[in-house]
Amino acid sequence: MKKVQKKTKIVATLGPASSQKDVLTRMIAKGVDVCRLNFSHGSQEDHLKVINTIKEINAEHSFNVAILADLQGPKIRIGKMKEGGAILVNGAKIEMTTHELIGDENKIYITYENFPNDVKENEIILLDDGKIQLRVLATNHKDTVTCEVVHGGILTSRKGVNLPNTKVSIPSLTEEDLDNLNFALEHGADWIAMSFVRSAEDIKQCKEIIAAKGSHAKVIAKIEKPEAIENIDAIIAATDAVMVARGDLGVELPMEEVPGLQKIIVQKCRNQSKPVIIATQMLESMITTPRPTRAEINDVANSVLDGADAVMLSGETSVGEFPEIVIETMTKVITHIESTSYPYYIAKEDSSTEETFLSDAICGSSIFLAEKTKASAIAVMTASGYTAFEISSYRPNANIFVFTGNQKLLNQLSLVWGVRSFIYKKYEDAEGTIQDVNGLLKENHLVEPGEIVINTASTPLHHKGKTNTIRVTVLQ
């Protein structure tokens, strides 16, 4: 089964609508590159079934689809509400308590134990994605906070709570997250997404746990808190990839700031050669209808034009009625933009360090050569993946083919813009290997005779050192 090829990748959240093997296989063929498992929902048993299905599909069809385990993080929720929900009226007073109870118009339970200590008078509390707004009147600093309803509505069980003005003291990895992280690493997750990241320290803590488990999984920082925006440069430096999680970000911050922040974060990530995903409500209307709105199509197109590595689907593919049509739709938008109006060779700032200076210069030179010669392909030999991330960040109008002996890297690179990866373990002398790789590209009709290939490698190859070699070849 052939897979649709495009440069901007698609991350699809799996759930009841998409976890059947035949459905998922078709979705992957139509454009899914990364499968997201949302640990906010479902049991570990459910997730394990999906993980095994993805592995089977990869093995049967020679796909390299990555598994992304998305941890819930310190998501604050209200508890159970009375049947039918409670009607909160503007101007009414309501108590929020840390004692578990069935909520009503007078009192609701909040799962955040330290809430009365962390919250201050006049701070805003947002419930149900900001649909309901409360203002803090008083706290007893023990178990109860008294609030005024600013914007009311019907409040039902287990809705999310956002505290845009409050410095929360919950750790970024909860006990449940640590359990799910260990589970995900044990079963071979390629990427771990951390929710509600606030500082670079959060990322470092997660990386330490991953290293201690002997895993090579990489970390994605989800940007959805004001503190993350304040610390964005340090977070990008510490993490392996970033997700612009526009749902909570648009609730925690004024929503008009989010489009500009999206563009700034994408550029910062490209400057640092870190993959960046745009997420939330991309084709939301397609949960229940087979056609998207024009605004949604514009949103996907603009995220592609911004230079994102990947665009993500949530409810559209996990619980929606048309998961396959959603993937087809997103793929159509991506491929059309990439073939007609994509700004290839997008300028980026040089972020080289003393340690990476030589490798970065080689990568930058290969991009310069690819643009000047109108090369069809850049063929990258890499053990660590560093060169692949670096070359991709320039967004070249040449196919990026990565050859590696590192099986784990094969799947991880499925998130990276423009990259197609292949297993390669020969590693003879540089001359022979470059000829061999170019022969494989020609044999598989990935490059045709007369077209130009830019090869990058580390010489001597068997040392698997830093990239130090470029070669330009006209394929015979």
Side-chain angles (χ1 to χ4, degrees), residues 66-85:
I67 297 169
L68 189 170
D70 194 333
L71 305 177
Q72 177 173 279
K75 180 74 175 174
I76 305 165
R77 295 186 185 277
I78 61 156
K80 283 189 178 175
M81 297 297 293
K82 69 178 190 180
E83 200 172 330

Side-chain angles (χ1 to χ4, degrees), residues 210-281:
I210 291 168
K213 291 282 285 185
S215 168
H216 297 287
K218 293 187 181 291
V219 177
I220 298 170
K222 291 172 69 177
I223 307 300
E224 46 198 335
K225 296 285 289 178
E227 297 100 306
I229 299 299
E230 289 165 23
N231 301 317
I232 192 67
D233 291 327
I235 288 170
I236 292 170
T239 193
D240 300 306
V242 163
M243 183 191 294
V244 185
R246 303 178 306 179
D248 279 287
L249 191 62
V251 175
E252 297 263 349
L253 286 169
M255 63 178 73
E256 65 273 13
E257 292 181 16
V258 174
L261 285 170
Q262 174 175 313
K263 292 178 188 300
I264 290 165
I265 294 168
V266 169
Q267 183 65 45
K268 283 179 179 289
C269 288
R270 284 189 46 255
N271 290 343
Q272 296 290 328
S273 307
K274 303 286 175 83
V276 56
I277 305 163
I278 304 299
T280 322
Q281 295 177 329

